[in-house]
Amino acid sequence: MTTDRLVEFDEVTTRYEPVIGLETHVELGTASKMFCGCSTTFGAEPNTQTCPVCLGLPGSLPVANEAAVAATIQIGLALGSEIAPWCRFARKNYFYPDIPKGFQTSQYDEPLCVGGHLDVEVDGETYRVEIERVHLEEDTGKNLHVGGATGRIHGADHSLVDYNRAGIPLVEIVTRPVPGAGARAPEVARAYVTELREIVQALGVSDVRMEQGSLRCDVNISLNPAGAAEWGTRTETKNVNSLRSVERAVRYEMRRQAARLDDGGRIVQETRHFHEDTGSTSAGRSKEEATDYRYFPEPDLVPIAADADWIAGLKAGLPELPAARRSRLQQEWGISGNEMTWLANAGALGLVEETVAAGASPTDARKWWLGDLARRANEAGSELAELAVTPAQVAELAGLIAEGTINDKLARQVLDRVLAGEGDPAKVVEAQGLAVLGESDELVAAVEAAIAGAPDVVAKVQSGKVQALGALVGAVMKTTRGKADAATVRRMLEERVHTS
Ligand code: ADP
Ligand code: MG
Ligand code: ZN
């Protein structure tokens, strides 16, 4: 692999304007495949989820999966697309071992959904990403290239193919070219995929796991000299499979293309591969050698004419979408847009929402999830949602503080025990005797002992040095091992020291 010369990122946009375009593939979570009844469960033994249809055996006939069509329409509706009153599937012909039929059943000039847009926010600035089309197709199988000392057959490297994935419904969402993002282009690309992913997740039509490939992205990028009337030639970095990689791929291509253009070279239209380890891209197929797919309408499937009533029903059934949910919660909780972005990025939105639903105040719920719990998740290298504490338990903990049963300090001890699996907060408080002491005999005794044990401090307080009282409060807190309420202790001390 050649090492590309790169321009400093900050310099790129002093001379060039980037244009980005994203093609996102979403594997739908339907129970069966797009054109047959085979199961779509991930991780099964290779080639156990296949049949004559998805293996493309002669004489087999496909039938479109209604649930997949409905899910595609829902995605289109969520993006504000027009739903075509009539559309067709098309054959995209090419030969590759992971494509058993010799063609992929896709949509070409007659997609199911057309147009729409998605607004994303980066650094308080809104960028509109226009949607070109949303169409339905089928996934390919998976090749596994085996080689090296152990993977050889008759002394040669070889490839295995698994057709379990072949024929799983795949929705492709294609954006129009997005100019105008400047140096923010990498973040805009990432924000777009993040938001799209959340929408699809909210619709519940895919598990959107990028690491398993159920959501993957082709990242197109071109540069044109600042102020030029025409866009430059794009490259297409294929199958980028994490949000971070989307951003890195755009960043790298901007730097590489800028260096190439600076040197008087030209950008060739080609597909490129992204390398996670180095954050770089390398050349794949160039457009000149690209296959002519010889698209033609699929003769074995009837066209789809989605009924207006059906579409209206799907529209009425759309859940609250992420952007609407965020602005509603922001209002309800009385927080700033920045705080909301922060909560959303920390993956804490749902947790805080459930904690509030379980009775905590929004302030308390945020305080626990973004404070102590975020720190613990961080230390454990896990996600907030993976912590062994439920929103209901966090709400219970906040309730115990609010009613004065425990203070913040005790609450942290209680939380430790909840996380260690010792049960709900109230049970832990009870079992460990962790409740704050009221004005009990035990506390009175501790207060009196503190006064008796430090006559010099008492004298100071009486001579007007009120801050000296802190030492006595500290002593009482120490003997009661943090179980006393500091304000109560201070009041009890004041009463006694001044009258003595
Ligand atoms: P292909 O199948 O060749 O990838 P598509 O139309 O499916 O073509 O997707 C092309 C993608 O590239 C779209 O997202 C489009 O917005 C984007 N695109 C087109 N021209 C440019 C350009 N000059 N710079 C950046 N992106 C572009
Ligand atoms: Mg493409
Ligand atoms: Zn099948």
Side-chain angles (χ1 to χ4, degrees), residues 129-434:
V129 178
E130 306 269 1
I131 305 295
E132 175 71 37
R133 57 192 272 147
V134 179
H135 77 238
L136 187 50
E137 56 187 38
E138 60 180 338
D139 212 344
T140 60
K142 257 190 214 166
N143 289 326
L144 180 67
H145 305 291
V146 203
T150 52
R152 293 175 158 243
I153 291 181
H154 302 308
D157 293 347
H158 63 284
S159 292
L160 301 170
V161 61
D162 174 10
Y163 291 122
N164 284 350
R165 198 178 70 175
I168 289 187
L170 203 60
V171 173
E172 179 170 354
I173 301 122
V174 184
T175 73
R176 297 208 174 121
V178 186
R184 293 266 178 271
E187 288 151 288
V188 169
R190 180 187 184 144
Y192 164 79
V193 182
T194 305
E195 188 69 14
L196 180 61
R197 182 172 178 269
E198 276 179 28
I199 288 174
V200 174
Q201 193 164 33
L203 294 173
V205 297
S206 166
D207 65 15
V208 294
R209 293 214 186 129
M210 293 189 84
E211 73 288 356
Q212 286 186 1
S214 34
L215 189 147
R216 47 194 197 261
C217 216
D218 299 342
V219 180
N220 294 271
I221 178 103
S222 67
L223 294 182
N224 56 263
E230 279 181 28
W231 292 333
T233 302
R234 69 183 161 106
T235 60
E236 179 183 359
T237 304
K238 301 291 276 183
N239 292 326
V240 181
N241 66 355
S242 80
L243 297 170
R244 181 166 168 261
S245 300
V246 169
E247 184 176 335
R248 290 172 86 204
V250 174
R251 197 174 291 274
Y252 184 88
E253 271 302 289
M254 284 173 70
R255 299 179 61 195
R256 185 190 69 84
Q257 292 185 16
R260 176 70 56 102
L261 295 170
D262 278 355
D263 294 344
R266 66 177 191 107
I267 304 300
V268 273
Q269 191 176 334
E270 64 187 0
T271 62
R272 298 184 68 87
H273 306 290
F274 181 70
H275 307 282
E276 290 284 343
D277 47 352
T278 52
S280 62
T281 64
S282 62
R285 265 181 300 119
S286 86
K287 206 70 182 178
E288 283 85 61
E289 60 200 59
T291 358
D292 174 354
Y293 293 119
R294 306 273 163 161
Y295 279 100
F296 65 86
E298 167 59 62
D300 287 344
L301 284 161
V302 291
I304 296 173
D307 195 80
D309 289 344
W310 188 45
I311 296 170
L314 290 170
K315 188 165 189 173
L318 287 184
E320 181 182 36
L321 296 174
R325 174 170 176 240
R326 284 195 304 268
S327 65
R328 174 178 59 80
L329 291 177
Q330 190 188 324
Q331 283 242 307
E332 283 176 18
W333 298 345
I335 61 176
S336 70
N338 275 346
E339 261 183 287
M340 181 44 80
T341 310
W342 201 40
L343 273 172
N345 290 346
L349 220 52
L351 295 166
V352 170
E353 195 178 17
E354 285 174 48
T355 307
V356 171
S361 72
T363 311
D364 282 345
R366 270 168 25 234
K367 181 187 102 173
W368 283 102
W369 285 108
L370 288 185
D372 274 72
L373 290 164
R375 185 172 50 73
R376 281 164 215 247
N378 211 359
E379 282 164 9
S382 64
E383 299 292 321
L384 277 178
E386 291 165 6
L387 290 174
V389 60
T390 63
Q393 287 172 326
V394 175
E396 190 177 311
L397 192 71
L400 290 169
I401 301 171
E403 72 191 26
T405 306
I406 52 174
N407 53 29
D408 270 31
K409 194 167 166 218
L410 288 167
R412 292 198 176 84
Q413 294 180 39
V414 174
L415 188 57
D416 281 334
R417 293 179 176 273
V418 172
L419 287 164
E422 293 182 24
D424 290 340
K427 193 182 147 208
V428 170
V429 167
E430 167 103 30
Q432 302 297 327
L434 285 173

